[in-house]
Amino acid sequence: MAKLIYTNSRGDSIELGQTAPFFVTKIEGFSDVENNISTYQSYNQDGESIVNENLGSRYMVIEGEFLLDRQEGRNRLIKVFNPKLQGILKYINGNFIKEIECKPERSPIISSTNRATIPYLINLIAPKPFWKDVKVSKEEIAIWRGSSEFPSELVEEGIELGFREPSLIVNILNKGDVPCGMRIQFKALATVVNPSLFNINTREYFKIKRTMEAGEIITVTTHFQNKRVMLYKNGVTSNAFNWIDLDSTFLQLDVGDNLMRYDADEGLDNLEVSIYYTSQYLGV
């Protein structure tokens, strides 16, 4: 049976489900979210035309009963579901695990009954309505892999062989229901001039206009309302937004297959590229 684990931003956590002491009897809003559609109608037009649409916030309701002293159960619920704190709700059903960022709309409602099990009601709002994978997915396009090591009379510690992945292209599978952003990491093993990532499907690209030196890492974040370009060099992280090529696009991963190709104006073999992403879902 499914269980729910809610953890607030202070680290307080509680498990709700089919086992004592906090039972769940009903959930709502976990699998549906409202689509806000704006339309207009021209003169003599039959029907209407859609001009804009977007998903609204997700409103979730958890109803249940707890098998505890009323005051003890009440205190635990109120402490964890503090409406002043953000939180993460995790949905677990066997190997199926998703989570969503949310917060209580109000403090939990606790029944005043004197029954052995005390009913409770929790209302949550998720301004970002998508459920997400718990683990971040990672794809590496260009990396060096260790292969084997053998002794040598010339070198006391022996020689270790490695090889570079031959493909310049990787297919990234977004298993979610909607497009998602990603985190692109360019790492220079030696001098690299103007590294870039190209989306073969959409013909869009993201390019850095900079010569990278050995050990430098540039990380590009393309999530909605969280677009950043950061340089890591000699233990220091700094803003690198001004190095973006003006025709660049903050690439998104469409639902399904996404063919990505890395490139550089010079020093292509000195470049390692990793992509991190989290698929998003409309319901659980």
Side-chain angles (χ1 to χ4, degrees):
M1 299 296 292
K3 64 179 179 181
L4 309 173
I5 298 177
Y6 182 82
T7 305
N8 65 31
S9 56
R10 199 163 48 196
D12 302 317
S13 184
I14 195 169
E15 180 178 322
L16 314 173
Q18 301 299 316
T19 57
F22 293 96
F23 299 96
V24 173
T25 58
K26 183 179 179 181
I27 58 174
E28 294 180 357
F30 281 52
S31 60
D32 59 290
V33 62
E34 183 178 358
N35 189 18
N36 300 317
I37 301 176
S38 301
T39 63
Y40 79 94
Q41 187 176 50
S42 300
Y43 178 72
N44 268 345
Q45 177 183 357
D46 294 321
E48 297 178 315
S49 300
I50 296 177
V51 294
N52 184 51
E53 58 181 306
N54 57 75
L55 298 181
S57 297
R58 182 185 297 276
Y59 296 90
M60 297 176 288
V61 177
I62 305 172
E63 294 183 33
E65 299 176 344
F66 61 82
L67 187 61
L68 283 173
D69 173 77
R70 184 178 183 279
Q71 191 61 50
E72 180 184 354
R74 178 180 181 276
N75 291 344
R76 287 181 61 180
L77 287 172
I78 290 176
K79 179 179 182 180
V80 176
F81 291 99
N82 185 336
K84 297 291 288 183
L85 301 176
Q86 297 287 339
I88 294 179
L89 179 66
K90 188 176 294 184
Y91 178 93
I92 304 172
N93 193 349
N95 294 326
F96 183 85
I97 306 175
K98 306 298 176 189
E99 65 182 20
I100 190 169
E101 299 175 8
C102 56
K103 70 178 303 182
E105 287 192 273
R106 57 178 297 171
S107 296
I109 301 173
I110 313 296
S111 173
S112 58
T113 181
N114 289 321
R115 291 165 32 190
T117 55
I118 312 298
Y120 67 85
L121 176 67
I122 297 166
N123 294 281
L124 300 171
I125 179 173
K128 298 177 181 178
F130 304 117
W131 293 88
K132 299 180 180 180
D133 289 331
V134 174
K135 294 183 179 180
V136 176
S137 299
K138 178 183 179 181
E139 294 288 348
E140 296 173 319
I141 307 180
I143 58 171
W144 283 91
R145 296 192 184 276
S147 178
S148 60
E149 182 176 338
F150 62 91
S152 171
E153 296 180 359
L154 300 177
V155 182
E156 182 177 349
E157 62 273 17
I159 299 175
E160 182 175 354
L161 296 181
F163 64 93
R164 185 175 177 84
E165 294 286 3
S167 177
L168 300 177
I169 299 173
V170 66
N171 180 40
I172 301 176
L173 177 61
N174 176 9
K175 297 180 180 180
D177 301 320
V178 294
C180 67
M182 56 184 154
R183 179 161 51 91
I184 309 163
Q185 180 178 283
F186 298 104
K187 180 179 180 180
L189 305 179
T191 302
V192 177
V193 179
N194 302 341
S196 62
L197 185 68
F198 179 71
N199 187 324
I200 296 175
N201 298 25
T202 65
R203 317 305 294 177
E204 298 172 321
Y205 70 87
F206 190 94
K207 188 172 187 176
I208 298 294
K209 299 287 287 185
R210 172 184 167 84
T211 299
M212 299 178 64
E213 303 299 334
E216 290 186 355
I217 299 175
I218 293 179
T219 302
V220 181
T221 304
T222 72
H223 300 294
F224 180 71
Q225 293 185 331
N226 184 24
K227 294 178 171 59
R228 293 177 295 165
V229 182
M230 306 299 293
L231 168 68
Y232 177 83
K233 180 178 181 180
N234 299 327
V236 178
T237 301
S238 57
N239 188 352
F241 213 90
N242 58 318
W243 294 330
I244 301 175
D245 179 270
L246 294 180
D247 292 324
S248 292
T249 299
F250 280 91
L251 303 173
Q252 302 292 300
L253 295 176
D254 288 331
V255 176
D257 296 320
N258 297 264
L259 292 176
M260 298 288 179
R261 184 185 190 279
Y262 76 98
D263 202 355
D265 290 353
E266 296 179 25
L268 182 60
D269 287 341
N270 302 324
L271 178 64
E272 286 188 355
V273 181
S274 300
I275 296 175
Y276 303 83
Y277 65 99
T278 305
S279 296
Q280 302 180 132
Y281 306 86
L282 292 174
V284 295

